Amino acid sequence: MEQEQYKTLEQQVTPPTPYLKNAIKAFIVGGIICTIGHAITYFYIIFFDFTEKTVGNPTVSTMIFLSMLLTGFGLYKKLGQFAGAGSAVPVTGFGNAVISAAIEHRTEGVVLGIGGNIFKLAGSVILFGVASAFFVALIKLILVSIGVAQW
Amino acid sequence: MVIVFQTKPSILANGAVAGPLEKKSVFYSYFDSIVEDERWNQKTNEQGHSKMILEACEIVMKKADIKNTDVDYFLSGDLVNQMTPTNFAARDLAIPFIGLFSACATSISSIIVASLLTELGASQLSVAGASSQHNAIERQFRYPNYYGGQKPATAQWTVTAAGYALVGKHNPEYPSVVAATIGKVVDYGDTNPFHMGGAMAPAAFETITTHLKQRNQKFHDYDLIMTGDLGKIGLQILKTMFVQSGIKQDELQLLRDAGAEFYGEDQAFLAGASGAGCSAAVYYSYIIQQLKTGRFKRVLLCATGSLLSPLSFQQGESIPCTAHAIELTME
Amino acid sequence: MIFMDFLIAFVVGGIICLIGQLIMDFGKLTPGHTLSILVVSGSILSGLGLYQPLIDLAGAGATIPITSFGHSLTQGAFAEAEKHGWVGVLTGMFEVTSSGISAAIVFGFIAAFIFKPKGKVN
């Protein structure tokens, strides 16, 4: 059988990706996680003296602490299978990527195992975030220097 | 290429061991032992994997009332890098050992080599088979076990199980290996590691077709043709390929897949079971038992394997696959 | 009005996640690729001055998705570049504490000593 023929056959038999269902699940779960985060910001503003500008840090830290618990008890994995991007895109997903790698590689020791592997999944986010910020700032700086833009 | 065994080596004993999740398997009652801790109470998954192999081999030897010193060769492999768990188990077994890597087809390739050594007269008794441990393989090939990734409906679950057989000189009271086909590597350009069934089906088609043609046989010469771990979707693809090549529906009923049936209808396991331990545990428990009781007289066991590595996937390569088959009869 | 506040957070957060899901499904990309695309998008939107208004509108709906990492890092670089020019572009990014990254590292380290991975099925 030719490769082209096989590809057609394979496509006919394989169930298609449930695009709509996945999108709806991602929307709902992502929305819920952000809503929980929103509730936490209210909590910090009301009961502690954080302002709208400074509440971001404790909120994100709290969310990641929660993601540690969910990851450690194997619950984030179930959430991820259901929600896809709905659980991967929020910072809790970033936390899950780092924490699950750390837990998994404990067997190789603290230095080489945890230390060497903790950013296996999340490293690309940090790399691209930093690199992107660098280039965007550089471009802005150039534009400001030649008088086209302002800070 | 098809090998015909003139001396018809026999499978004198068999053993299958599985982990706690495999209690959900439809083949559960055929396994010799189910362990509560998937790590076999060891510190790491890989050490647990090793202990599982040891336990399965010890069950096989106990059933045949022999010791490791009576065994000439140990032929086996697994999916972990450099087959580490099997290497360490081989150290503890202290039997002359050659490691084999045919991915999930190792369950059959090891029996083929053992049968060749027996036919040659170089081996009186050999232990052969394969195994897989879910956690160790998941973290190596895919993601850390607690990572919240989303798997598609075509993905399969790697089983924690080991299946081994004792291959020796012909004995009419036991199932015998009469022929075998060593498969070529087939690559139809599939690149999706979450759809192994689709990648492996062409290899199974090629090996089964070659075996039947060179042996001058048809589907109806067999009571069962069972592939290793194509999964529910891979099995459908294979059946469609056979239909397109002229096989009839009544013949297709004889075609089954260990991976597709392993966990029954439980949707949580997506397209079914996979792993070297999947075919090994089912073949060397359920199949052997059915042959011994006379329910099956002639079977073709065709295990499939995906020959990719985590690196080849990252480097954008496709997934080359292979399939090896043995023909077992019971007189 | 507090309800409206929460609703907007829900909708905006949900939409960003939905975009991520579409990138993964249609683009056939891994989560790693998808998140990298989103963090860069956050950084670019931040550079164009569009991300802060989104935060003002949606609160946690914009600060919780990974896109906000891109925003924080870019704003940090901007703040320092404004003050110190060329050198500021490099030093600025880590001035703004990325609490997300620090928290993930610390909790990951702690978790590694408390939890042992099991093969759980869904």
Side-chain angles (χ1 to χ4, degrees):
Chain A
M1 187 180 281
E2 293 302 319
Q3 198 163 313
E4 280 309 309
Q5 262 184 296
Y6 181 70
K7 283 268 181 285
T8 319
L9 192 162
E10 200 184 1
Q11 249 173 333
Q12 281 168 352
V13 179
T14 306
T17 312
Y19 294 105
L20 186 63
K21 212 162 124 195
N22 283 354
I24 293 175
K25 288 192 287 186
F27 174 79
I28 293 179
V29 174
I32 290 176
I33 294 178
C34 290
T35 309
I36 294 174
H38 205 66
I40 292 177
T41 63
Y42 268 89
F43 171 76
Y44 278 117
I45 289 175
I46 296 174
F47 291 102
F48 295 83
D49 57 358
F50 286 100
T51 68
E52 272 185 38
K53 286 236 170 296
T54 61
V55 79
N57 287 343
T59 305
V60 165
S61 305
T62 311
M63 292 296 279
I64 293 188
F65 175 75
L66 292 174
S67 123
M68 174 185 91
L69 294 176
L70 289 174
T71 301
F73 288 113
L75 298 168
Y76 211 92
K77 181 174 172 149
K78 297 193 188 194
L79 182 65
Q81 176 63 30
F82 176 78
S87 64
V89 170
V91 289
T92 45
F94 177 82
N96 168 252
V98 172
I99 294 166
S100 64
I103 294 175
E104 186 71 53
H105 289 273
R106 168 91 172 82
T107 61
E108 287 104 272
V110 183
V111 174
L112 296 177
I114 303 179
N117 289 287
I118 192 166
F119 291 116
K120 207 157 88 153
L121 297 170
S124 47
V125 171
I126 298 175
L127 172 72
F128 281 94
V130 171
S132 178
F134 174 78
F135 285 111
V136 170
L138 199 61
I139 293 173
K140 181 83 183 241
L141 182 64
I142 292 172
L143 291 176
V144 167
S145 305
I146 61 176
V148 171
Q150 284 174 318
W151 287 113
Chain B
M1 263 316 300
V2 177
I3 304 166
V4 177
F5 291 100
Q6 305 297 339
T7 65
K8 301 203 225 170
S10 294
I11 296 190
L12 305 171
N14 58 286
V17 168
L21 263 182
E22 283 60 41
K23 272 191 253 187
K24 297 186 190 218
S25 171
V26 303
F27 298 109
Y28 166 49
S29 54
Y30 296 97
F31 299 151
D32 294 284
S33 154
I34 296 253
V35 171
E36 279 313 316
D37 178 23
E38 61 201 347
R39 253 201 214 100
W40 266 256
N41 297 317
Q42 301 297 302
K43 278 203 290 206
T44 72
N45 289 307
E46 292 73 19
Q47 286 171 344
H49 194 348
S50 222
K51 268 270 169 298
M52 170 175 64
I53 296 170
L54 217 52
E55 188 173 316
C57 292
E58 275 160 9
I59 289 175
V60 171
M61 293 189 289
K62 188 142 169 251
K63 282 194 193 174
D65 205 18
I66 55 174
K67 288 207 290 285
N68 61 331
T69 43
D70 302 311
V71 181
D72 293 309
Y73 298 103
F74 176 49
L75 298 146
S76 181
D78 61 67
L79 303 174
V80 176
N81 280 336
Q82 287 81 53
M83 299 184 293
T84 310
T86 306
N87 296 337
F88 279 68
R91 173 193 63 185
D92 294 340
L93 282 171
I95 302 173
F97 163 68
I98 292 188
L100 299 157
F101 184 79
S102 312
C104 306
T106 310
S107 52
I108 295 294
S109 61
S110 54
I111 299 288
I112 295 178
V113 176
S115 303
L116 286 167
L117 287 168
T118 308
E119 174 106 341
L120 198 64
S123 166
Q124 303 295 315
L125 294 167
S126 283
V127 170
S131 63
S132 54
Q133 203 260 13
H134 177 266
N135 298 352
I137 289 153
E138 189 71 15
R139 84 117 90 160
Q140 184 182 285
F141 279 94
R142 288 176 276 269
Y143 295 117
N145 278 284
Y146 278 165
Y147 178 66
Q150 188 179 49
K151 294 194 184 167
T154 53
Q156 289 165 264
W157 182 272
T158 306
V159 309
T160 296
Y164 284 87
L166 183 68
V167 179
K169 286 204 147 33
H170 180 70
N171 184 327
E173 291 183 29
Y174 293 93
S176 305
V177 184
V178 300
T181 297
I182 294 181
K184 281 197 274 206
V185 177
V186 175
D187 188 344
Y188 272 47
D190 275 15
T191 55
N192 185 0
F194 286 111
H195 192 5
M196 295 287 199
M200 295 192 294
F205 181 80
E206 167 116 7
T207 298
I208 294 175
T209 312
T210 305
H211 190 95
L212 292 176
K213 185 147 164 247
Q214 294 201 9
R215 289 281 282 156
N216 240 328
Q217 291 168 335
K218 295 230 166 320
F219 268 60
H220 277 306
D221 289 303
Y222 290 94
D223 294 299
L224 168 72
I225 299 181
M226 195 181 230
T227 47
D229 56 357
L230 291 176
K232 296 180 178 149
I233 297 163
L235 181 63
Q236 272 311 108
I237 295 176
L238 181 64
K239 286 190 172 179
T240 312
M241 287 178 87
F242 275 123
V243 163
Q244 285 189 4
S245 75
I247 303 292
K248 310 278 186 318
Q249 276 306 320
D250 61 312
E251 291 175 289
L252 276 184
Q253 306 281 25
L254 301 164
L255 185 61
R256 290 164 63 182
D257 180 77
E261 295 179 27
F262 200 92
Y263 291 114
E265 294 305 312
D266 194 338
Q267 287 306 309
F269 295 101
L270 302 166
S274 72
C278 171
S279 55
V282 174
Y283 291 164
Y284 308 130
S285 64
Y286 168 70
I287 297 288
I288 299 295
Q289 200 256 27
Q290 300 287 47
L291 282 165
K292 282 219 249 222
T293 59
R295 231 202 105 213
F296 294 146
K297 287 254 169 335
R298 185 182 299 266
V299 303
L300 186 64
L301 303 177
C302 180
T304 50
S306 305
L307 301 172
L308 84 174
S309 69
L311 187 63
S312 74
F313 167 67
Q314 282 175 346
Q315 291 177 335
E317 303 271 9
S318 57
I319 302 173
C321 299
T322 188
H324 303 302
I326 55 172
E327 183 182 328
L328 287 176
T329 57
M330 187 70 202
E331 281 160 34
Chain C
M1 280 302 99
I2 291 200
F3 172 74
M4 214 37 206
D5 202 32
F6 275 83
L7 185 67
I8 297 178
F10 176 85
V11 170
V12 172
I15 289 177
I16 298 178
C17 292
L18 186 144
I19 293 173
Q21 185 71 37
L22 294 174
I23 294 175
M24 284 202 315
D25 282 347
F26 281 102
K28 303 215 185 305
L29 293 173
T30 69
H33 287 87
T34 307
L35 295 179
S36 301
I37 291 174
L38 287 176
V39 83
V40 169
S41 309
S43 165
I44 293 175
L45 287 174
S46 178
L48 294 170
L50 297 171
Y51 209 84
Q52 188 58 48
L54 191 63
I55 295 179
D56 295 333
L57 171 72
T63 58
I64 294 288
I66 202 83
T67 39
S68 74
F69 267 23
H71 168 68
S72 306
L73 292 167
T74 307
Q75 289 305 310
F78 275 19
E80 284 302 295
E82 189 178 357
K83 270 189 271 173
H84 303 296
W86 302 96
V87 176
V89 177
L90 270 177
T91 62
M93 284 175 292
F94 292 101
E95 287 285 334
V96 176
T97 44
S98 184
S99 52
I101 298 179
S102 318
I105 294 173
V106 169
F107 292 127
F109 188 65
I110 294 173
F113 289 97
I114 306 176
F115 300 104
K116 256 189 170 174
K118 269 185 177 345
K120 277 191 191 313
V121 79
N122 307 307

